[in-house]
Amino acid sequence: MASPSARRHALPSPRHRRTLSSTLVEESVAAAAALVQRWHPDDDAAASGSLFLHATEHEAQRFLRAAADLHRAMLFFASDVITHGGGDGLVQAQALLQTAMRRLDQELQLLLDDMTRLDDIRAVVEAMVAAGYGKECISTFKSHRRAALSTELQRLLGLSPPYHQHLHKLAWEQLDGSIIPSWLAAAAVAFNSLFAAEKGLCDAVFAGGNAAVGEAVFAAVANDQATGLLAVAEAAVARARRAPERLFRVLDVHDTLTGEVLPGLLSVFGGINSSEVAARAAHLVAKVGEAARGTLGSLEAAIQKEPSKATAAGGAVHPLTRYVMNYLVFLADYQEGLTQLLVDGYQQQQEASSLMVVVHRLVSVLLGKLEAKAGCYRDVALSYLFLANNTQYVANKVAGSGKLRGILGDGWAEAQSAKARAHVGVYVRAAWGKVMAAIAGAGAGAEPPEAVEQAVMEAVAMQEQWVAADEETAQALRAAATAAVVPRYRMFYRRYGAAVRLTPGDVTTMIAALFAGPPGDV
């Protein structure tokens, strides 16, 4: 038989131990009930404040501990309802825990409006997840942050959601006028700042659990927003196909995408093998390349299809020349990005190409078309004036653009200027050939002196409506004509001056008046 001392220190029977535990649990439930009631989510007075924003830190921590106690009480009562007689206790603890979770759900929404309380947000999330309310917690977090992110993007873009769903209905002018410029200004900020901050928030809040949870929550919050943002760029590329003048917007999108957006996008969303957003961005870059190559091919085809008979009045610079050369000057500004697009695309097609090759080809097609147009003039002199004007315009455009000059080569513009001077020489011989022939005929006695004067008047009249590409070309034309005609006429005048009215000075003045009007549009 055990001694009194042994009996005094013996452990209680199992039945008695369970009774003691039940008492402790019931006391914790009662304490928790009082706290939950004070912060009941349906109480107007309690709803006007916040545990984490308005109450003391001690009160907030007590509430979190109370929620944990209620969850433990539920597990305790549920472990052996029959033994503990805890059916009522289980029901009570579960009801109180549900109420506490509703309160924490409200607190989470309030805290998510005040992003400076990251520790409190994480504490609420951990408490809800630990109590088995992770699904509800994550749902609240996702819906709240998705709405907040949408609002921020709307503010940044100046567009109302769901803006990306209506892009296909907009005219190009609407896209080009406001939407694409807004995207160009906002995309880098969105991917490098907004989405990065959202990813940091998800990682921090859900750091206590599986990292995959934070990644999944971030994807649910941000993927649709990110793909909606990329949809603007996709619309720009799709709507710009085969329209040469729209290529520059596509290249703006490409430069922003590759230079500013992709680094942040890949850092935040992951690589193309693991991220829907990154895969879509990579596909978009490929589409930009296709659009660029297709547009440049369309431009080349358009030059080739230009009717040769469509000439320019007075031998002026043709609108086609102005359009193509101005286009190439602008194109050269995108040299770095466009070079990469062309190299990537043609390498995939097992062809060797570069921006230099493409630009050379476009200019060569243009010069060939100008030769064809020149052949459509009835007057030989006018056809060479046309070639001189247009060739010099091409040379000036290349010489005036450092980037275009670098693409075509330093000596290319000089070679075209030399061709333009050769065209001027042919023009002078053709335009003043009858005058010089008349002078020679008069000197040989085969023509009367009056024939020379008549030839001069006809040559001047013929050229009065002809134009020069610019003042420099006009001076070159006048100088060449003066050098070819005036010395011969002066010799003629010394011999036959009494028989004609025009002096050498008169002829010089008449030549100087040619091409003095407004030059061709440059």
Side-chain angles (χ1 to χ4, degrees), residues 6 78 117 140 157 163 242 247 259 277 350 369 411 423 438 440 453:
R117 308 293 291 266
T140 294
L157 281 168
Y163 55 86
R242 309 303 181 189
L247 176 60
V277 175
Q350 303 300 312
K369 180 57 65 174
H423 293 320
E453 190 173 50

Side-chain angles (χ1 to χ4, degrees), residues 20 140 145 183 218 235 353 362 484:
L20 290 175
T140 294
R145 291 312 306 160
W183 186 92
F218 172 70
S353 188
L362 289 170

Side-chain angles (χ1 to χ4, degrees), residues 96-439:
L96 286 170
L97 183 62
Q98 288 177 343
T99 302
M101 290 300 107
R102 285 202 293 126
R103 180 72 213 190
L104 289 183
D105 191 79
Q106 289 181 356
E107 293 293 331
L108 180 59
Q109 295 182 53
L110 292 171
L111 290 170
L112 287 172
D113 288 331
D114 184 1
M115 297 304 294
T116 62
R117 308 293 291 266
L118 183 58
D119 289 342
D120 291 334
I121 294 172
R122 183 164 49 238
V124 171
V125 167
E126 289 175 351
M128 294 184 72
V129 171
Y133 284 77
K135 182 178 180 181
E136 292 81 358
C137 164
I138 290 173
S139 176
T140 294
F141 185 95
K142 289 192 297 188
S143 62
H144 196 93
R145 291 312 306 160
R146 190 183 293 117
L149 186 59
S150 177
T151 299
E152 283 297 305
L153 286 173
Q154 179 181 350
R155 179 191 60 78
L156 192 63
L157 281 168
L159 303 173
S160 299
Y163 55 86
H164 58 280
Q165 296 180 8
H166 307 296
L167 295 173
H168 65 284
K169 298 179 180 179
L170 300 180
W172 169 258
E173 290 70 23
Q174 292 173 289
L175 284 173
D176 185 53
S178 60
I179 293 179
I180 298 175
S182 295
W183 186 92
L184 293 172
V189 177
F191 283 99
N192 291 285
S193 180
L194 289 185
F195 289 119
E198 201 65 38
K199 180 65 160 58
L201 173 65
C202 292
D203 288 345
V205 169
F206 297 97
N210 190 332
V213 174
E215 293 176 1
V217 171
F218 172 70
V221 169
N223 275 16
D224 287 348
Q225 309 281 359
T227 54
L229 201 56
L230 291 177
V232 176
E234 291 168 346
V237 174
R239 301 292 285 280
R241 282 185 175 276
R242 309 303 181 189
E245 66 278 3
R246 298 180 184 179
L247 176 60
F248 302 110
R249 272 299 187 211
V250 174
L251 296 176
D252 286 336
V253 168
H254 173 264
D255 287 354
T256 298
L257 189 65
T258 57
E260 302 176 52
V261 170
L262 275 181
L265 185 152
L266 294 174
S267 174
V268 172
F269 289 90
I272 60 174
N273 294 325
S274 59
S275 166
E276 172 193 348
V277 175
R280 189 160 178 171
H283 183 67
L284 174 56
V285 172
K287 287 296 183 183
V288 172
E290 292 176 11
R293 293 186 294 274
T295 299
L296 293 175
S298 296
L299 176 59
E300 180 179 345
I303 298 171
Q304 292 172 332
K305 292 177 182 178
E306 165 77 7
S308 298
K309 293 182 179 180
T311 56
V317 176
H318 197 279
L320 178 67
T321 309
R322 292 197 300 273
Y323 178 86
V324 173
M325 293 312 301
N326 285 322
Y327 191 94
L328 293 180
V329 168
F330 286 128
L331 198 67
D333 289 336
Y334 296 90
Q335 180 176 0
E336 183 176 348
L338 189 56
T339 296
Q340 189 60 49
L341 285 173
L342 293 173
V343 168
D344 288 348
Y346 286 112
Q347 281 180 347
Q348 292 171 7
Q349 299 171 24
Q350 303 300 312
E351 297 179 17
S353 188
S354 67
L355 182 58
M356 180 183 70
V357 173
V358 170
V359 172
H360 265 289
R361 188 165 64 235
L362 289 170
V363 174
S364 296
V365 173
L366 171 64
L367 293 176
K369 180 57 65 174
L370 293 176
E371 290 279 356
K373 287 180 177 293
C376 293
Y377 285 101
R378 294 181 179 180
D379 193 296
V380 174
L382 185 56
S383 70
Y384 278 94
L385 173 62
F386 173 80
L387 286 175
N389 279 331
N390 284 267
T391 304
Q392 189 60 53
Y393 182 90
V394 170
N396 290 346
K397 280 294 180 180
V398 175
S401 168
K403 291 184 178 179
L404 188 55
R405 187 173 64 249
I407 292 171
L408 289 170
D410 289 335
W412 195 91
E414 288 78 358
Q416 294 304 310
S417 291
K419 290 182 180 179
R421 290 192 294 272
H423 293 320
V424 169
V426 178
Y427 152 76
V428 169
R429 290 192 295 273
W432 296 93
K434 290 183 179 179
V435 173
M436 291 182 282
I439 292 173

Side-chain angles (χ1 to χ4, degrees), residues 494-515:
R494 288 172 183 168
R495 183 174 180 182
Y496 300 103
V500 294
R501 292 170 296 172
L502 294 177
T503 67
D506 293 332
V507 175
T508 300
T509 300
M510 294 169 73
I511 294 175
L514 296 175
F515 311 111

